[in-house]
Amino acid sequence: GDAARGVGGASQALLYFRSALQCKPSARDVRDIHSQMAAVQISAGAWRDAQVTLESGLSAAPDSSELWRQLLTVCTHLQDAKGQQHCHRRLAQLSGSAPTDRVAFGELLLADGQLREAREQFELAIKVDPSNAVALVKLANAWRLDSRAEDSLDEAKSCYERALQLSPTNFEALEGAGYCHRKMSNLDQAAHFYQQCLKVRFNAEGALYYLGDILYRQHRHAECQHYLARLVDLDCSVDYKTGA
């Protein structure tokens, strides 16, 4: 049926492209042929084959942003984090990267524990787009995770609060600001941010727990019970640790 015709068509196209490569095409044509071959392989679901095709094309045309961007798409689909990082680095070297690409690259580095390198990418995104609240939150997260940096909590808090100036209902920024103030023993400010979290997400478990914990420490027991009762009603499975 249609599926068989599709497979046959893809096979014929790939044979044509391979024959074209035997005819000593120009460097530009080599790039275009590999790009088109990979597109056919992707459409057929042959992602590994597409990766091999694009890597072959890049050995002939190492400065092709088009091929690197295609390879990035393939590596993302294959969940190849190292491959994605390599593609992002080459794209940045060749043509600079859009803020969204910088943020995506930073997230990969962050997941890989490369905190300083991740911060560099988020900062570059913010330099190009100072109103990028997403990049500010990601930068804050990268500071927050860096226990070795002396002023990491101050830096994280500053970034979260800058993000909130741009996006006052950004839940991740509200929760992050609450975390930083709680860790710095600024309990009134922490309580404020957790209350704002709950205006955005009524049943946010973390905000309910930590707000209740702060109110308990402040001997505001009736208010504490109000929030912890809501947490109990959720029957949440998270094992929160006081002071964590």
Side-chain angles (χ1 to χ4, degrees):
D2 291 342
R5 282 195 295 273
V7 170
S11 298
Q12 288 296 318
L14 292 172
L15 282 172
Y16 167 78
F17 290 134
R18 290 189 179 107
S19 297
L21 287 172
Q22 302 301 315
C23 300
K24 297 184 179 179
S26 68
R28 181 172 181 173
D29 286 342
V30 168
R31 180 201 67 193
D32 291 345
I33 291 167
H34 281 91
S35 176
Q36 292 168 39
M37 278 182 69
V40 170
Q41 289 164 328
I42 289 168
S43 68
W47 292 89
R48 293 283 180 194
D49 291 344
Q51 184 177 25
V52 171
T53 295
L54 291 165
E55 288 171 348
S56 174
L58 284 164
S59 68
D63 295 336
S64 170
S65 296
E66 179 186 351
L67 292 183
W68 281 111
R69 194 161 290 283
Q70 273 185 286
L71 183 57
L72 175 58
T73 299
V74 171
C75 289
T76 301
H77 178 84
L78 295 173
Q79 299 181 325
D80 177 359
K82 294 294 184 186
Q84 290 176 69
Q85 288 184 31
H86 185 53
C87 292
H88 276 296
R89 284 199 174 92
R90 285 296 291 137
L91 284 165
Q93 290 168 354
L94 290 168
S95 58
S97 296
T100 50
D101 292 330
R102 294 284 187 190
V103 170
F105 186 19
E107 287 180 303
L108 284 169
L109 294 167
L110 192 61
D112 198 40
Q114 300 182 57
L115 302 179
R116 182 179 58 80
E117 295 85 352
R119 288 198 297 267
E120 288 175 359
Q121 294 303 315
F122 299 137
E123 285 165 353
L124 286 166
I126 293 162
K127 185 176 181 180
V128 174
D129 180 10
S131 63
N132 193 324
V134 171
L136 279 164
V137 170
K138 301 298 182 186
L139 177 58
N141 291 343
W143 277 114
R144 172 175 164 175
L145 289 168
D146 195 349
S147 58
R148 295 169 298 178
E150 187 175 343
D151 298 323
S152 59
L153 272 181
D154 278 325
E155 294 285 355
K157 178 173 71 69
S158 173
C159 292
Y160 285 130
E161 291 177 352
R162 284 168 61 194
L164 288 169
Q165 290 175 2
L166 297 165
S167 179
T169 58
N170 185 305
F171 180 83
E172 193 174 358
L174 288 167
E175 191 171 50
Y179 169 90
C180 292
H181 280 290
R182 181 167 57 82
K183 285 294 190 180
M184 299 165 80
S185 298
N186 302 329
L187 297 186
D188 286 336
Q189 293 95 321
H192 165 75
F193 283 113
Y194 287 130
Q195 285 168 337
Q196 295 304 306
C197 283
L198 293 170
K199 289 181 180 178
V200 177
R201 292 187 193 171
F202 184 76
N203 288 331
E205 293 176 4
L208 284 169
Y209 176 83
Y210 290 118
L211 180 55
D213 182 50
I214 290 167
L215 295 170
Y216 178 83
R217 295 190 210 182
Q218 294 178 329
H219 306 291
R220 296 160 64 180
H221 297 302
E223 293 171 88
C224 167
Q225 287 178 340
H226 169 73
Y227 290 108
L228 294 185
R230 280 169 55 182
L231 187 65
V232 170
D233 287 343
L234 292 174
D235 193 28
C236 64
S237 59
V238 181
D239 182 20
Y240 292 101
K241 302 296 185 184
T242 303

XYZ file of all heavy atoms in Angstrom, residues 95 106 147 149 152 195 198 213 232 238:
66
model
N 28.297 30.802 13.507
C 27.391 31.907 13.190
C 26.796 32.575 14.417
O 25.906 33.409 14.284
C 26.252 31.383 12.308
O 25.563 30.334 12.963
N 22.659 25.605 27.182
C 22.895 25.740 28.612
C 22.202 24.660 29.424
O 22.763 24.127 30.386
N 27.256 24.737 44.771
C 27.582 24.885 46.196
C 29.011 25.366 46.409
O 29.365 25.842 47.493
C 27.373 23.558 46.932
O 28.164 22.544 46.348
N 30.499 27.839 44.674
C 30.627 29.279 44.443
C 30.235 30.036 45.715
O 29.206 29.759 46.328
C 29.742 29.710 43.274
N 26.795 32.038 45.574
C 25.845 31.404 44.661
C 24.393 31.736 45.004
O 23.590 32.011 44.111
C 26.052 29.890 44.641
O 25.896 29.340 45.935
N 3.728 32.249 49.202
C 2.313 32.639 49.070
C 1.996 33.022 47.624
O 0.915 32.694 47.104
C 2.005 33.791 50.023
C 1.891 33.345 51.480
C 1.884 34.508 52.453
O 2.365 35.601 52.155
N 1.350 34.271 53.654
N 1.498 29.989 45.518
C 0.192 29.352 45.695
C -0.916 30.123 44.973
O -1.973 29.557 44.685
C -0.125 29.208 47.181
C 0.811 28.226 47.907
C 0.606 28.303 49.416
C 0.597 26.803 47.404
N 5.991 25.198 57.143
C 7.166 25.051 58.004
C 7.631 26.400 58.543
O 7.954 26.543 59.733
C 8.281 24.377 57.198
C 9.536 24.143 58.024
O 9.417 23.585 59.128
O 10.626 24.529 57.557
N -1.962 17.805 53.373
C -2.441 16.467 53.738
C -3.579 16.040 52.813
O -3.654 14.887 52.373
C -2.889 16.438 55.215
C -3.614 15.127 55.531
C -1.684 16.623 56.134
N 5.571 12.971 48.325
C 6.904 13.546 48.471
C 7.292 13.575 49.932
O 6.516 13.993 50.790
C 6.940 14.960 47.867
C 8.345 15.558 47.997
C 6.511 14.934 46.399
